[in-house]
Amino acid sequence: MLKLHGFSISPNHNKVKLALLEKGIEFEEVMQRPSQDETFLVNSPMGKIPTMEVDGKFVSESGAILEYLENAYPAAPLMPMDPVERAKCRELMQVIELYMSGSSASGRLTAAAFFGAPISDEAKNDAEALIERGVKAVARLAKFSPFLTGAKFTLADCVAFPQLSTVAWVTRIVLGKNMVDGIPGAADYLKYVAKRPAVQKILADQQRAMELFMASVKK
Ligand SMILES: N[C@@H](CCC(=O)N[C@@H](CS)C(=O)NCC(=O)O)C(=O)O
């Protein structure tokens, strides 16, 4: 059985978990925090989560894992068949991943949002400018009719829901404004997608993991 190593607070973990749930693939979740331990770097060379264990082999990088799932489990497709539509779906995934995700722009604010870590005004302004550019790009590309790329739920939604929710939360806490509100239709889209059973599970697991995490760092 596939094993997803990571933890349920992480948006990168949750985008893969959402694809697994939406595709109806059986999997096991193995609790793993990011780590620079040699033993973990063997399975995830940057020490990041998630990493997916497939028959004893490990694949890291959520984009590569999503591509594997789509190729290995084609029965419930989450990518359009038409090559151009497929590329447009990939484009949105990339734009969100590269310019808005926790490992890029909003990631600069994550420690401040989670732990109240000090952050300079300069760092805040830099992050805000980067996120602003990503917000404008997503606003240009997203259809929200009702899903990100059109009528069907796709991998772009698996990426967008956890990432945009995180950007919304982090920017509200650190910058005092929810920057996802700069994407017309995004707030309603997030509420709509949150009703899906798979997303409900993601949110419930995330809430539980967050409570455990906060209790462990307060000790
Ligand atoms: N590009 C990677 C990003 C993964 C990532 O940044 N994961 C975060 C958790 S959401 C992490 O492991 N952070 C720890 C670190 O950057 O060392 C992917 O798509 O999987």
Side-chain angles (χ1 to χ4, degrees), residues 65-154:
I65 302 171
L66 291 176
E67 192 177 319
Y68 161 74
L69 293 178
E70 203 53 16
N71 291 336
Y73 298 87
L78 288 179
M79 285 289 264
M81 291 300 163
D82 175 79
V84 176
E85 293 309 316
R86 208 173 168 92
K88 292 300 289 178
C89 185
R90 199 79 185 83
E91 179 187 30
L92 255 165
M93 289 162 69
Q94 279 287 100
V95 166
I96 295 173
E97 169 63 31
L98 291 176
Y99 310 120
M100 295 192 74
S101 85
S103 49
S104 58
S106 73
R108 300 176 183 204
L109 307 175
T110 306
F114 266 96
F115 310 112
I119 176 163
S120 68
D121 284 346
E122 195 187 352
K124 280 191 200 175
N125 291 340
D126 282 355
E128 185 175 348
L130 278 172
I131 296 170
E132 184 65 31
R133 228 175 130 189
V135 157
K136 285 186 177 152
V138 175
R140 281 177 196 279
L141 291 169
K143 292 198 172 132
F144 300 130
S145 58
F147 299 110
L148 213 63
T149 58
K152 287 198 176 144
F153 184 94
T154 67

Side-chain angles (χ1 to χ4, degrees), residues 10-98:
S10 151
N12 287 295
H13 179 84
N14 284 340
K15 62 190 176 192
V16 174
K17 184 168 162 183
L18 185 50
L20 285 160
L21 292 168
E22 289 282 353
K23 283 171 95 62
I25 302 168
E26 254 190 86
F27 68 102
E28 188 185 316
E29 244 176 322
V30 181
M31 168 64 186
Q32 172 71 55
R33 289 194 185 163
S35 164
Q36 292 298 311
D37 281 1
E38 273 307 317
T39 46
F40 184 57
L41 293 175
V42 172
N43 301 332
S44 176
M46 286 296 289
K48 290 176 185 271
I49 55 149
T51 180
M52 170 82 86
E53 190 178 345
V54 187
D55 297 333
K57 289 187 183 145
F58 281 82
V59 181
S60 63
E61 288 298 322
S62 57
I65 302 171
L66 291 176
E67 192 177 319
Y68 161 74
L69 293 178
E70 203 53 16
N71 291 336
Y73 298 87
L78 288 179
M79 285 289 264
M81 291 300 163
D82 175 79
V84 176
E85 293 309 316
R86 208 173 168 92
K88 292 300 289 178
C89 185
R90 199 79 185 83
E91 179 187 30
L92 255 165
M93 289 162 69
Q94 279 287 100
V95 166
I96 295 173
E97 169 63 31
L98 291 176

